[in-house]
Amino acid sequence: MCGIVGAVAQRDVAEILIEGLRRLEYRGYDSAGVAILNNNDIQRVRRLGKVKELSDALEVSPLPGSTGIAHTRWATHGEPSEVNAHPHISGSDFAVVHNGIIENHEELKEQLKTKGYEFVSATDTEVIAHLIAEEYKNFKDLLKAVQSAVKQLEGAYGAVVMNRNNPEELIVARSGSPLVVGKGIGEMFVASDQLALLPVTRQFLYLEEGEVARVTRTTLDIYDTDEKLIERDFEESSVQHDAGDKGPYRHFMMKEIHEQPESIASTLEGRIINGEITSEIFGVKAKEIFDEVEAIQIVACGTSFHAAMVTKYWCESLANIPCHVEIASEYRYRKSFTPQKALFITISQSGETADTLAALRLAKEKGFMASLTVCNVPGSSLVRESDLAFMTRAGAEIGVASTKAFTTQLAGLLMLVGCIAKHKGLSESEQADIVHAIEAIPREIQKALEQDSLIEQLAEDFSEKHHSLFLGRGEQYPIAMEGALKLKEISYIHAEAYAAGELKHGPLALIDHEMPIVVVAPKNELLEKLKSNMEEVRARGGQLYVFADKDAPFKEEDGVKVVRVESAHDITAPIIYTIPLQLLSYHVAVIKGTDVDQPRNLAKSVTVE
Ligand code: G6P
């Protein structure tokens, strides 16, 4: 949610900042801006729209200077506009970029107005700029002014501050919104995600909650909430340098769909030893916790919530322990029951989703036995704050619509359930079946990808539609939900998913010959039930698009189109059936000409409520 980049160097930094923003654009893309210090003068350029608008403007009028900050925005307070775009300034002295939401900004604004500060934007961020200016009057030191200012802020922030009297330093502050410092040779960088800085460094250090740091070309001084100096080393990043490039693909989403066999293989690597999933892969304390656990509570948001729903089906059938799943933003704001000996699981691609993080913190207060996160970003808040962690290895996911992050989550979650089930007495042969099924996933996904051109043709049928339904049963119900979410987020076609048995309780009224109905129909014990639901649709003229096993008893006929999916194991079928649904939504969006990688109004990582 919003992207931040900053640099203190000995060379002009505008290009580094713009490349960083381009790499972070997936996080927010309604406006962008940059401020650069040149001869003790802050020069600022902002543009409504994408980073391209900003870089075009800088090509016409370049900004020289070796210290600068930049931002790509996803609007929270104030509409997307140039005046609301960051960096925000106070007079000609201070410039600030900020991620997060300052909850007490109204109150601070009133106080600052009485002191003569004028506000020109509708953002909460402008308050930070003026507050620092006010504090600087007392301290005459930028670090101290920022430390004093952040103590007055309520809410979440990742902020970078620049001052024209201190041309070779940036002050960074983190509370609730990630910030990383990158070390180059005689230069230093900051960003909200290391991906932004991979072209210039591989040495990174993440700020912890509440820390404020002074960054110069050659030094980094980090202070904790008690203003004590902290010692911490930079670490070498394992993220691939080309992670921000599309390669031969037109969109990141298609690249990431095709990366799935590899990202699942990498997620499995070293995790199954001698045919067994061992508890150590979840953390040193996992064995003890899995022996004791009697219930599971999972919370997540968006696509990760769908992974949670699939896990519930797996967990109760294999491990035979109760598993509750809930959307994080609901869980955190209601009074809920905490079972005895319960494990609290969060699922998150980014590890920074505000609601999921808040739910974890609440769970700790509520006395869960332990917490575990399934996450794609090492060092993220959820990873650091959980007792146990399973890192998916999807690599950087840039497309806003989650694809490889979802399937790697599912692979990890199936290993987790398999492992807990082992501790709960699942037989050796059943464990071996799960392991075989998991090991076959990369191969089966590769096969599913071969249906791409057939699905591209089917996508033509959807491009003029305004509505669609997705049906599934059992653990394919969440997959139908994920298919519907993909279609609505990138093609803007209204898509709803139903457990097929619910059809007759309402949605059947929507069906006519204009309504496409996607059915996720693997050959399993629920297939006959599902076929009856499909007949109900056909009888009312609905157009069926059936995703079914190779030898499933469906044939192409009027009103029925069939896509064959090869999935040898019931347990992993939800993962394999996800692939054709991703391809379908991708092709529909391409035909409709929407912005596939950066759909309107959305952001990749939602670090605000
Ligand atoms: C945003 C993204 C979704 C993602 C959700 C949860 O809405 O656009 O793709 O599923 O956040 O994010 P997380 O990082 O916690 O998985």
Side-chain angles (χ1 to χ4, degrees):
M1 184 127 299
C2 303
I4 286 179
V5 196
V8 204
Q10 264 181 322
R11 48 177 164 161
D12 284 345
V13 290
E15 256 181 52
I16 297 169
L17 298 179
I18 292 294
E19 174 58 18
L21 288 188
R22 195 183 64 73
R23 291 169 156 259
L24 292 183
E25 201 172 22
Y26 69 98
R27 292 175 66 97
Y29 34 81
D30 60 47
S31 53
V34 57
I36 292 183
L37 255 170
N38 190 22
N39 294 329
N40 291 73
D41 182 27
I42 294 177
Q43 297 181 332
R44 177 174 64 152
V45 177
R46 297 175 296 166
R47 286 292 178 270
L48 177 63
K50 298 205 167 175
V51 173
K52 175 86 176 56
E53 304 295 325
L54 181 67
S55 68
D56 287 353
L58 290 181
E59 257 179 41
V60 179
S61 322
L63 285 187
S66 55
T67 302
I69 55 178
H71 189 268
T72 174
R73 181 169 186 248
W74 186 86
T76 54
H77 289 73
E79 57 170 15
S81 68
E82 195 167 310
V83 78
N84 287 333
H86 300 215
H88 287 282
I89 54 173
S90 183
S92 53
D93 290 347
F94 299 90
V96 175
V97 286
H98 161 230
N99 284 355
I101 292 179
I102 303 305
E103 286 164 4
N104 59 339
H105 73 279
E106 291 291 358
E107 188 186 318
L108 291 169
K109 195 171 181 172
E110 288 316 310
Q111 291 168 12
L112 288 160
K113 274 185 184 169
T114 60
K115 293 181 175 148
Y117 290 94
E118 278 179 27
F119 286 80
V120 292
S121 78
T123 66
D124 49 342
T125 304
E126 204 181 351
V127 163
I128 307 179
H130 291 318
L131 193 58
I132 291 168
E134 180 62 17
E135 294 300 327
Y136 193 80
K137 284 184 193 163
N138 303 330
F139 292 101
K140 304 278 182 282
D141 176 278
L142 189 58
L143 175 75
K144 290 210 159 60
V146 174
Q147 282 172 323
S148 174
V150 295
K151 287 198 184 113
Q152 301 165 58
L153 302 179
E154 285 167 20
Y157 54 84
V160 187
V161 186
M162 191 168 79
N163 170 234
R164 81 182 173 115
N165 302 317
N166 298 275
E168 288 209 350
E169 75 176 37
L170 296 175
I171 305 296
V172 293
R174 177 205 167 138
S175 178
S177 253
L179 273 183
V180 64
V181 182
K183 182 164 125 186
I185 301 170
E187 49 192 12
M188 212 72 98
F189 307 95
V190 296
S192 48
D193 183 332
Q194 55 170 276
L195 201 57
L197 304 178
L198 288 174
V200 285
T201 181
R202 301 200 62 79
Q203 297 291 319
F204 292 105
L205 181 150
Y206 277 89
L207 287 196
E208 300 279 355
E209 283 298 287
E211 288 179 347
V212 178
R214 187 200 303 269
V215 184
T216 72
R217 278 200 310 106
T218 50
T219 59
L220 170 67
D221 297 325
I222 309 170
Y223 298 87
D224 67 10
T225 39
D226 298 327
E227 302 184 3
K228 278 211 209 89
L229 197 61
I230 301 288
E231 290 282 321
R232 211 159 53 242
D233 287 337
F234 283 84
E235 284 177 19
E236 176 91 13
S237 167
S238 56
V239 177
Q240 279 175 10
H241 174 47
D242 65 358
D245 299 323
K246 287 188 201 124
Y249 296 96
R250 198 170 143 197
H251 298 101
F252 281 111
M253 181 179 179
M254 195 51 150
K255 175 182 177 233
E256 288 157 5
I257 289 175
H258 277 86
E259 278 172 354
Q260 289 175 105
E262 202 188 309
S263 44
I264 300 249
S266 146
T267 298
L268 302 185
E269 203 184 316
R271 261 98 185 242
I272 298 175
I273 294 162
N274 298 329
E276 259 198 84
I277 306 160
T278 57
S279 55
E280 286 82 59
I281 63 173
F282 303 98
V284 278
K285 285 188 281 173
K287 185 177 178 305
E288 197 185 312
I289 292 168
F290 294 172
D291 272 340
E292 276 194 40
V293 65
E294 283 174 8
I296 285 175
Q297 169 75 58
I298 313 181
V299 303
C301 303
T303 289
S304 298
F305 174 70
H306 296 152
M309 285 184 70
V310 176
T311 309
K312 177 183 171 74
Y313 285 92
W314 284 336
C315 189
E316 297 201 349
S317 69
L318 294 171
N320 196 29
I321 55 174
C323 176
H324 300 280
V325 298
E326 192 158 351
I327 290 166
S329 55
E330 285 296 309
Y331 181 83
R332 65 180 288 199
Y333 286 121
R334 76 179 181 94
K335 287 187 181 148
S336 61
F337 176 72
T338 305
Q340 290 287 304
K341 297 193 177 173
L343 174 64
F344 189 84
I345 298 179
T346 54
I347 306 172
S348 174
Q349 188 286 126
S350 62
E352 300 292 348
T353 301
D355 286 320
T356 312
L357 194 53
L360 170 63
R361 289 173 183 162
L362 174 69
K364 288 184 172 178
E365 285 166 22
K366 285 168 63 84
F368 276 85
M369 179 177 82
S371 60
L372 181 153
T373 189
V374 173
C375 184
N376 193 39
V377 179
S380 59
S381 302
L382 282 174
V383 173
R384 288 200 316 265
E385 295 188 28
S386 301
D387 301 318
L388 305 177
F390 179 89
M391 299 313 303
T392 52
R393 299 184 190 131
E397 190 180 66
I398 310 286
V400 165
S402 184
T403 52
K404 61 176 182 169
F406 179 63
T407 49
T408 52
Q409 280 171 350
L410 286 176
L413 287 159
L414 183 52
M415 283 197 267
L416 173 65
V417 171
C419 190
I420 294 176
K422 185 170 83 176
H423 285 251
K424 299 291 145 203
L426 189 75
S427 74
E428 277 188 16
S429 72
E430 281 173 296
Q431 288 172 43
D433 282 349
I434 297 173
V435 167
H436 281 144
I438 291 175
E439 285 176 329
I441 302 170
R443 210 167 48 241
E444 292 187 0
I445 292 185
Q446 198 61 54
K447 271 265 168 224
L449 289 168
E450 288 169 14
Q451 297 289 19
D452 186 39
S453 39
L454 170 65
I455 295 170
E456 189 174 2
Q457 286 167 31
L458 286 191
E460 296 280 351
D461 294 5
F462 286 72
S463 61
E464 298 293 313
K465 302 289 182 193
H466 298 292
H467 306 278
S468 59
L469 286 180
F470 284 66
L471 302 179
R473 273 181 176 264
E475 64 269 42
Q476 296 292 354
Y477 167 44
I479 299 306
M481 293 173 77
E482 174 60 12
L485 176 66
K486 283 298 83 107
L487 189 68
K488 80 181 91 163
E489 62 185 345
I490 62 167
S491 75
Y492 316 147
I493 294 173
H494 173 216
E496 272 195 83
Y498 279 92
E502 275 293 288
L503 198 60
K504 54 191 171 294
H505 299 297
L508 212 48
L510 295 170
I511 289 173
D512 60 16
H513 64 280
E514 278 298 312
M515 178 69 91
I517 295 110
V518 174
V519 191
V520 193
K523 206 165 131 194
N524 60 22
E525 65 206 23
L526 293 170
L527 187 61
E528 284 309 312
K529 302 274 176 215
L530 194 60
K531 277 167 72 185
S532 312
N533 302 137
M534 287 157 61
E535 284 311 319
E536 293 160 12
V537 169
R538 276 198 76 196
R540 286 149 184 96
Q543 301 294 302
L544 287 165
Y545 296 84
V546 187
F547 292 81
D549 278 13
K550 215 167 163 216
D551 53 351
F554 293 108
K555 55 180 193 303
E556 291 266 342
E557 52 193 317
D558 230 17
V560 185
K561 291 191 180 173
V562 184
V563 176
R564 300 288 172 183
V565 182
E566 285 186 45
S567 154
H569 309 269
D570 283 358
I571 193 80
T572 45
I575 304 176
I576 312 305
Y577 273 77
T578 298
I579 311 301
L581 300 184
Q582 294 170 343
L583 290 169
L584 178 67
S585 58
Y586 173 79
H587 287 299
V588 175
V590 170
I591 296 166
K592 288 195 69 181
T594 56
D595 192 339
V596 173
D597 285 331
Q598 295 171 348
R600 67 184 181 203
N601 306 338
L602 301 181
K604 181 82 189 156
S605 178
V606 182
T607 50
V608 294
E609 267 196 60

